[in-house]
Amino acid sequence: MRLLERMRKEWFMIGIVLAIAGAKLEPSIGVNGGPLMPEITVSYIAVATIFFNSGLSLNTEELTSALVHIKLHLFIQIFTLAFFPAAIWLLLQLLSITPINEWLLKGLQTVGCMPPPVSSAVILTKAVGGNEAAAIFNSAFGSFLGIVVTPLLLLLFLHSSSSVPFTSIFSQLFMTVVVPLIIGQIVRRYIKDWLERKKPPFGAVSSSVLLVIIYTTFCDTFSNPDIDLDRFSLILILFIICSIQLSFMLLTFIFSTRNNSGFTPADTVAVMFCSTHKSLTLGIPMLKIVFAGHEYLSLISVPLLIYHPVQILLGSVLVPTIKSWMVSRQKGVKLTRPTV
């Protein structure tokens, strides 16, 4: 099962490259008004499909066992949706004086505003042997919370309120995100046994639809001759993203391993992955809605497209190290426990 999941993620990364290359070769197909009609098929149908699929696949029954760890959940959600975007904002005040493309910097801010992913943090926590139930809860709860909080954060950090059509943005979010998610959960109740028996490829469906969204987003970019992405900015953004990932993982590790934190080594593993990972599956559709018609939407999306594979690759590389730390710490706890 883990091998299949890894193959799917590798296929998806290749798919992102092919989607961007395809948009570069023939952008006229996916632009607004083109044969794909993304203003309808992507903005409404594709986004709604992703969230219906999320509602159908989200097993909320598994979350009840993790509800008691209130302190753990608060730490993860506050770090993800409050500290992370605020820290990125402060960093961007320094980076704004550099020659890095300003729209890529705005894209970094959108990364900070994103909710945790539904899959990668859970998979890596499970691979290490951490608190999987807590990872599942925070990934799912963070996704639900992100539906409301993420658009507000995006508007807070990247727009002036006078120029933003709040009503149209939130009405589209409600119709294409909230409603399909609720319908997916309702349908799941009636076909739960069939879903558990057949195990449909939810991840593959969402990934395929997401590739279409990415393709049409970059079609708009490559059809606009005024947009230019320099390699220097791109390389710096990649370095900054790797630095952010490592720094925030180290920060969450330090905070969650303090003597008075109350977290177990297994909890720390869940904290490290859930607090620092960001959702591409939820993020790209939300950017498509909030920045609908924006000529630099694709450049704003680039940091999130980079952050996604980086968090998976970096997490996978660190799994053996984190696992050996957790095992040694757990052995130490057992040795120091008094015998009766």
Side-chain angles (χ1 to χ4, degrees):
M1 196 69 175
R2 197 176 297 170
L3 177 62
L4 289 174
E5 184 66 28
R6 184 182 297 176
M7 288 174 63
R8 184 180 71 80
K9 289 188 179 297
E10 289 175 355
W11 167 82
F12 181 63
M13 291 176 195
I14 294 169
I16 290 176
V17 175
L18 292 176
I20 296 173
K24 175 69 174 176
L25 289 172
E26 194 52 68
S28 61
I29 296 175
V31 296
N32 285 343
L36 283 183
M37 293 188 292
E39 62 274 16
I40 298 172
T41 57
V42 170
S43 297
Y44 294 94
I45 299 173
V47 174
T49 300
I50 283 178
F51 285 97
F52 172 75
N53 191 55
S54 295
L56 204 58
S57 62
L58 193 59
N59 189 359
T60 48
E61 295 89 344
E62 292 181 358
L63 307 182
T64 53
S65 62
L67 279 172
V68 293
H69 302 294
I70 303 297
K71 185 179 178 181
L72 179 64
H73 307 326
L74 280 175
F75 180 91
I76 291 173
Q77 298 305 326
I78 290 172
F79 190 97
T80 305
L81 295 171
F83 176 83
F84 203 128
I88 295 296
W89 183 83
L90 288 172
L91 175 64
L92 293 185
Q93 305 314 300
L94 298 174
L95 294 177
S96 62
I97 62 174
T98 68
I100 300 174
N101 185 291
E102 65 169 311
W103 297 104
L104 289 179
L105 291 179
K106 289 181 185 293
L108 267 181
Q109 185 65 71
T110 68
V111 171
C113 298
M114 292 301 150
V118 176
S119 59
S120 64
V122 175
I123 292 165
L124 290 169
T125 300
K126 185 177 182 179
V128 173
N131 191 338
E132 187 182 355
I136 292 171
F137 177 88
N138 282 282
S139 294
F141 182 69
S143 297
F144 279 120
L145 201 60
I147 291 170
V148 176
V149 176
T150 293
L152 289 173
L153 289 173
L154 289 172
L155 297 175
L156 173 68
F157 285 110
L158 296 171
H159 284 285
S160 61
S161 59
S162 59
S163 63
V164 177
F166 285 102
T167 306
S168 62
I169 286 174
F170 282 101
S171 62
Q172 188 175 350
L173 278 170
F174 181 77
M175 292 305 297
T176 59
V177 175
V178 180
V179 171
L181 198 66
I182 293 172
I183 293 174
Q185 280 284 286
I186 293 171
V187 172
R188 179 182 173 80
R189 289 189 176 187
Y190 291 98
I191 61 171
K192 186 173 74 171
D193 293 338
W194 180 85
L195 291 173
E196 290 176 355
R197 190 171 63 254
K198 295 293 184 180
K199 299 188 184 303
F202 293 117
V205 172
S206 290
S207 296
S208 299
V209 177
L210 192 58
L211 288 175
V212 175
I213 296 175
I214 292 169
Y215 169 73
T216 57
T217 299
F218 277 86
C219 281
D220 287 335
T221 299
F222 294 127
S223 64
N224 187 344
D226 297 327
I227 295 178
D228 181 41
L229 179 58
D230 60 289
R231 292 181 183 178
F232 173 74
S233 292
L234 204 56
I235 292 169
L236 281 181
I237 288 293
L238 176 59
F239 174 77
I240 292 166
I241 285 174
C242 291
S243 301
I244 289 171
Q245 271 271 301
L246 286 170
S247 300
F248 281 8
M249 286 187 79
L250 180 60
L251 192 61
T252 54
F253 176 81
I254 291 169
F255 274 110
S256 60
T257 53
R258 291 180 304 165
N259 292 331
N260 60 345
S261 70
F263 298 146
T264 66
D267 292 339
T268 295
V269 174
V271 166
M272 288 175 68
F273 290 125
C274 292
S275 301
T276 59
H277 280 214
K278 296 293 183 176
S279 177
L280 180 69
T281 307
L282 303 181
I284 292 295
M286 282 190 182
L287 290 180
K288 195 78 175 176
I289 293 170
V290 175
F291 296 102
H294 200 293
E295 63 175 326
Y296 293 103
L297 171 60
S298 59
L299 293 189
I300 294 172
S301 305
V302 165
L304 185 57
L305 291 172
I306 295 173
Y307 197 93
H308 177 75
V310 167
Q311 70 187 9
I312 294 169
L313 291 172
L314 193 59
S316 300
V317 168
L318 291 174
V319 161
T321 304
I322 298 172
K323 189 170 186 175
S324 63
W325 167 83
M326 190 189 75
V327 171
S328 65
R329 179 59 69 91
Q330 286 174 335
K331 285 180 180 177
V333 170
K334 288 178 182 178
L335 289 172
T336 56
R337 189 175 296 165
T339 56
V340 180

PDB file of all heavy atoms in Angstrom, residues 11-21 210-211 214 218 280 305 308-309:
ATOM      1  N   TRP A  11       4.216   9.804  -9.739  1.00  0.00           N
ATOM      2  CA  TRP A  11       3.468  10.050 -10.976  1.00  0.00           C
ATOM      3  C   TRP A  11       2.900  11.458 -10.994  1.00  0.00           C
ATOM      4  O   TRP A  11       2.927  12.148 -12.021  1.00  0.00           O
ATOM      5  CB  TRP A  11       2.338   9.024 -11.091  1.00  0.00           C
ATOM      6  CG  TRP A  11       1.336   9.356 -12.148  1.00  0.00           C
ATOM      7  CD1 TRP A  11       1.431   9.117 -13.485  1.00  0.00           C
ATOM      8  CD2 TRP A  11       0.083  10.039 -11.971  1.00  0.00           C
ATOM      9  NE1 TRP A  11       0.319   9.595 -14.138  1.00  0.00           N
ATOM     10  CE2 TRP A  11      -0.518  10.165 -13.233  1.00  0.00           C
ATOM     11  CE3 TRP A  11      -0.586  10.543 -10.857  1.00  0.00           C
ATOM     12  CZ2 TRP A  11      -1.756  10.765 -13.414  1.00  0.00           C
ATOM     13  CZ3 TRP A  11      -1.823  11.165 -11.033  1.00  0.00           C
ATOM     14  CH2 TRP A  11      -2.387  11.264 -12.293  1.00  0.00           C
ATOM     15  N   PHE A  12       2.407  11.922  -9.843  1.00  0.00           N
ATOM     16  CA  PHE A  12       1.808  13.247  -9.769  1.00  0.00           C
ATOM     17  C   PHE A  12       2.854  14.336  -9.998  1.00  0.00           C
ATOM     18  O   PHE A  12       2.590  15.327 -10.686  1.00  0.00           O
ATOM     19  CB  PHE A  12       1.133  13.425  -8.403  1.00  0.00           C
ATOM     20  CG  PHE A  12       0.468  14.774  -8.236  1.00  0.00           C
ATOM     21  CD1 PHE A  12      -0.591  15.143  -9.046  1.00  0.00           C
ATOM     22  CD2 PHE A  12       0.912  15.668  -7.275  1.00  0.00           C
ATOM     23  CE1 PHE A  12      -1.201  16.378  -8.904  1.00  0.00           C
ATOM     24  CE2 PHE A  12       0.314  16.897  -7.127  1.00  0.00           C
ATOM     25  CZ  PHE A  12      -0.751  17.248  -7.938  1.00  0.00           C
ATOM     26  N   MET A  13       4.055  14.165  -9.438  1.00  0.00           N
ATOM     27  CA  MET A  13       5.120  15.150  -9.647  1.00  0.00           C
ATOM     28  C   MET A  13       5.510  15.229 -11.121  1.00  0.00           C
ATOM     29  O   MET A  13       5.731  16.316 -11.656  1.00  0.00           O
ATOM     30  CB  MET A  13       6.330  14.801  -8.784  1.00  0.00           C
ATOM     31  CG  MET A  13       6.102  14.980  -7.291  1.00  0.00           C
ATOM     32  SD  MET A  13       7.536  14.434  -6.328  1.00  0.00           S
ATOM     33  CE  MET A  13       6.810  14.342  -4.689  1.00  0.00           C
ATOM     34  N   ILE A  14       5.573  14.059 -11.758  1.00  0.00           N
ATOM     35  CA  ILE A  14       5.855  14.034 -13.201  1.00  0.00           C
ATOM     36  C   ILE A  14       4.718  14.711 -13.953  1.00  0.00           C
ATOM     37  O   ILE A  14       4.930  15.462 -14.916  1.00  0.00           O
ATOM     38  CB  ILE A  14       6.038  12.581 -13.693  1.00  0.00           C
ATOM     39  CG1 ILE A  14       7.299  11.969 -13.071  1.00  0.00           C
ATOM     40  CG2 ILE A  14       6.128  12.522 -15.225  1.00  0.00           C
ATOM     41  CD1 ILE A  14       7.439  10.477 -13.285  1.00  0.00           C
ATOM     42  N   GLY A  15       3.492  14.462 -13.483  1.00  0.00           N
ATOM     43  CA  GLY A  15       2.315  15.068 -14.107  1.00  0.00           C
ATOM     44  C   GLY A  15       2.337  16.583 -14.043  1.00  0.00           C
ATOM     45  O   GLY A  15       1.931  17.260 -15.002  1.00  0.00           O
ATOM     46  N   ILE A  16       2.818  17.148 -12.924  1.00  0.00           N
ATOM     47  CA  ILE A  16       2.925  18.605 -12.793  1.00  0.00           C
ATOM     48  C   ILE A  16       3.868  19.163 -13.853  1.00  0.00           C
ATOM     49  O   ILE A  16       3.566  20.158 -14.524  1.00  0.00           O
ATOM     50  CB  ILE A  16       3.410  18.992 -11.376  1.00  0.00           C
ATOM     51  CG1 ILE A  16       2.331  18.700 -10.334  1.00  0.00           C
ATOM     52  CG2 ILE A  16       3.791  20.474 -11.328  1.00  0.00           C
ATOM     53  CD1 ILE A  16       2.763  18.969  -8.907  1.00  0.00           C
ATOM     54  N   VAL A  17       5.017  18.504 -14.026  1.00  0.00           N
ATOM     55  CA  VAL A  17       6.002  18.943 -15.025  1.00  0.00           C
ATOM     56  C   VAL A  17       5.395  18.878 -16.428  1.00  0.00           C
ATOM     57  O   VAL A  17       5.538  19.815 -17.227  1.00  0.00           O
ATOM     58  CB  VAL A  17       7.279  18.072 -14.950  1.00  0.00           C
ATOM     59  CG1 VAL A  17       8.248  18.433 -16.070  1.00  0.00           C
ATOM     60  CG2 VAL A  17       7.963  18.236 -13.597  1.00  0.00           C
ATOM     61  N   LEU A  18       4.708  17.769 -16.735  1.00  0.00           N
ATOM     62  CA  LEU A  18       4.094  17.603 -18.056  1.00  0.00           C
ATOM     63  C   LEU A  18       2.971  18.615 -18.290  1.00  0.00           C
ATOM     64  O   LEU A  18       2.811  19.119 -19.406  1.00  0.00           O
ATOM     65  CB  LEU A  18       3.544  16.172 -18.200  1.00  0.00           C
ATOM     66  CG  LEU A  18       4.588  15.056 -18.260  1.00  0.00           C
ATOM     67  CD1 LEU A  18       3.907  13.686 -18.306  1.00  0.00           C
ATOM     68  CD2 LEU A  18       5.502  15.233 -19.483  1.00  0.00           C
ATOM     69  N   ALA A  19       2.201  18.900 -17.235  1.00  0.00           N
ATOM     70  CA  ALA A  19       1.107  19.873 -17.360  1.00  0.00           C
ATOM     71  C   ALA A  19       1.651  21.260 -17.686  1.00  0.00           C
ATOM     72  O   ALA A  19       1.114  21.963 -18.557  1.00  0.00           O
ATOM     73  CB  ALA A  19       0.295  19.910 -16.068  1.00  0.00           C
ATOM     74  N   ILE A  20       2.731  21.655 -16.996  1.00  0.00           N
ATOM     75  CA  ILE A  20       3.344  22.969 -17.245  1.00  0.00           C
ATOM     76  C   ILE A  20       3.975  23.000 -18.635  1.00  0.00           C
ATOM     77  O   ILE A  20       3.854  23.993 -19.366  1.00  0.00           O
ATOM     78  CB  ILE A  20       4.380  23.292 -16.155  1.00  0.00           C
ATOM     79  CG1 ILE A  20       3.689  23.422 -14.793  1.00  0.00           C
ATOM     80  CG2 ILE A  20       5.136  24.582 -16.494  1.00  0.00           C
ATOM     81  CD1 ILE A  20       4.645  23.565 -13.619  1.00  0.00           C
ATOM     82  N   ALA A  21       4.636  21.885 -19.028  1.00  0.00           N
ATOM     83  CA  ALA A  21       5.246  21.805 -20.368  1.00  0.00           C
ATOM     84  C   ALA A  21       4.175  21.868 -21.451  1.00  0.00           C
ATOM     85  O   ALA A  21       4.350  22.540 -22.482  1.00  0.00           O
ATOM     86  CB  ALA A  21       6.047  20.512 -20.489  1.00  0.00           C
ATOM     87  N   LEU A 210      -6.628  17.917 -10.355  1.00  0.00           N
ATOM     88  CA  LEU A 210      -5.707  18.985  -9.969  1.00  0.00           C
ATOM     89  C   LEU A 210      -4.726  19.311 -11.088  1.00  0.00           C
ATOM     90  O   LEU A 210      -4.390  20.476 -11.317  1.00  0.00           O
ATOM     91  CB  LEU A 210      -4.950  18.574  -8.708  1.00  0.00           C
ATOM     92  CG  LEU A 210      -4.152  19.658  -7.985  1.00  0.00           C
ATOM     93  CD1 LEU A 210      -5.060  20.822  -7.576  1.00  0.00           C
ATOM     94  CD2 LEU A 210      -3.472  19.084  -6.764  1.00  0.00           C
ATOM     95  N   LEU A 211      -4.284  18.304 -11.811  1.00  0.00           N
ATOM     96  CA  LEU A 211      -3.372  18.528 -12.946  1.00  0.00           C
ATOM     97  C   LEU A 211      -4.040  19.367 -14.030  1.00  0.00           C
ATOM     98  O   LEU A 211      -3.393  20.193 -14.675  1.00  0.00           O
ATOM     99  CB  LEU A 211      -2.903  17.187 -13.515  1.00  0.00           C
ATOM    100  CG  LEU A 211      -1.901  16.402 -12.658  1.00  0.00           C
ATOM    101  CD1 LEU A 211      -1.611  15.038 -13.282  1.00  0.00           C
ATOM    102  CD2 LEU A 211      -0.605  17.185 -12.471  1.00  0.00           C
ATOM    103  N   ILE A 214      -3.915  22.927 -12.783  1.00  0.00           N
ATOM    104  CA  ILE A 214      -2.552  23.460 -12.937  1.00  0.00           C
ATOM    105  C   ILE A 214      -2.263  23.794 -14.402  1.00  0.00           C
ATOM    106  O   ILE A 214      -1.694  24.844 -14.717  1.00  0.00           O
ATOM    107  CB  ILE A 214      -1.514  22.449 -12.391  1.00  0.00           C
ATOM    108  CG1 ILE A 214      -1.650  22.325 -10.868  1.00  0.00           C
ATOM    109  CG2 ILE A 214      -0.090  22.865 -12.761  1.00  0.00           C
ATOM    110  CD1 ILE A 214      -0.869  21.171 -10.276  1.00  0.00           C
ATOM    111  N   PHE A 218      -1.421  27.656 -15.933  1.00  0.00           N
ATOM    112  CA  PHE A 218      -0.198  28.032 -16.646  1.00  0.00           C
ATOM    113  C   PHE A 218      -0.463  28.367 -18.114  1.00  0.00           C
ATOM    114  O   PHE A 218       0.345  29.060 -18.742  1.00  0.00           O
ATOM    115  CB  PHE A 218       0.855  26.936 -16.500  1.00  0.00           C
ATOM    116  CG  PHE A 218       1.628  27.038 -15.233  1.00  0.00           C
ATOM    117  CD1 PHE A 218       1.152  26.448 -14.069  1.00  0.00           C
ATOM    118  CD2 PHE A 218       2.798  27.766 -15.159  1.00  0.00           C
ATOM    119  CE1 PHE A 218       1.841  26.567 -12.875  1.00  0.00           C
ATOM    120  CE2 PHE A 218       3.500  27.896 -13.975  1.00  0.00           C
ATOM    121  CZ  PHE A 218       3.016  27.291 -12.824  1.00  0.00           C
ATOM    122  N   LEU A 280      -1.654  21.164  -1.262  1.00  0.00           N
ATOM    123  CA  LEU A 280      -1.733  21.587  -2.665  1.00  0.00           C
ATOM    124  C   LEU A 280      -3.126  21.315  -3.209  1.00  0.00           C
ATOM    125  O   LEU A 280      -3.684  22.118  -3.960  1.00  0.00           O
ATOM    126  CB  LEU A 280      -0.685  20.825  -3.489  1.00  0.00           C
ATOM    127  CG  LEU A 280      -0.624  21.148  -4.984  1.00  0.00           C
ATOM    128  CD1 LEU A 280      -0.082  22.555  -5.205  1.00  0.00           C
ATOM    129  CD2 LEU A 280       0.243  20.140  -5.727  1.00  0.00           C
ATOM    130  N   LEU A 305       3.431  25.025  -5.636  1.00  0.00           N
ATOM    131  CA  LEU A 305       3.777  23.877  -6.485  1.00  0.00           C
ATOM    132  C   LEU A 305       5.173  23.341  -6.134  1.00  0.00           C
ATOM    133  O   LEU A 305       5.426  22.142  -6.281  1.00  0.00           O
ATOM    134  CB  LEU A 305       3.727  24.270  -7.962  1.00  0.00           C
ATOM    135  CG  LEU A 305       2.342  24.577  -8.542  1.00  0.00           C
ATOM    136  CD1 LEU A 305       2.475  25.147  -9.957  1.00  0.00           C
ATOM    137  CD2 LEU A 305       1.471  23.332  -8.553  1.00  0.00           C
ATOM    138  N   HIS A 308       5.051  21.612  -2.285  1.00  0.00           N
ATOM    139  CA  HIS A 308       4.427  20.283  -2.196  1.00  0.00           C
ATOM    140  C   HIS A 308       5.434  19.140  -2.360  1.00  0.00           C
ATOM    141  O   HIS A 308       5.545  18.292  -1.463  1.00  0.00           O
ATOM    142  CB  HIS A 308       3.306  20.172  -3.231  1.00  0.00           C
ATOM    143  CG  HIS A 308       2.658  18.829  -3.275  1.00  0.00           C
ATOM    144  ND1 HIS A 308       1.775  18.400  -2.310  1.00  0.00           N
ATOM    145  CD2 HIS A 308       2.791  17.808  -4.145  1.00  0.00           C
ATOM    146  CE1 HIS A 308       1.381  17.162  -2.591  1.00  0.00           C
ATOM    147  NE2 HIS A 308       1.974  16.787  -3.694  1.00  0.00           N
ATOM    148  N   PRO A 309       6.197  19.074  -3.467  1.00  0.00           N
ATOM    149  CA  PRO A 309       7.173  17.985  -3.581  1.00  0.00           C
ATOM    150  C   PRO A 309       8.315  18.092  -2.569  1.00  0.00           C
ATOM    151  O   PRO A 309       8.827  17.070  -2.114  1.00  0.00           O
ATOM    152  CB  PRO A 309       7.703  18.108  -5.015  1.00  0.00           C
ATOM    153  CG  PRO A 309       7.388  19.485  -5.443  1.00  0.00           C
ATOM    154  CD  PRO A 309       6.152  19.878  -4.706  1.00  0.00           C
TER     155      PRO A 309
END
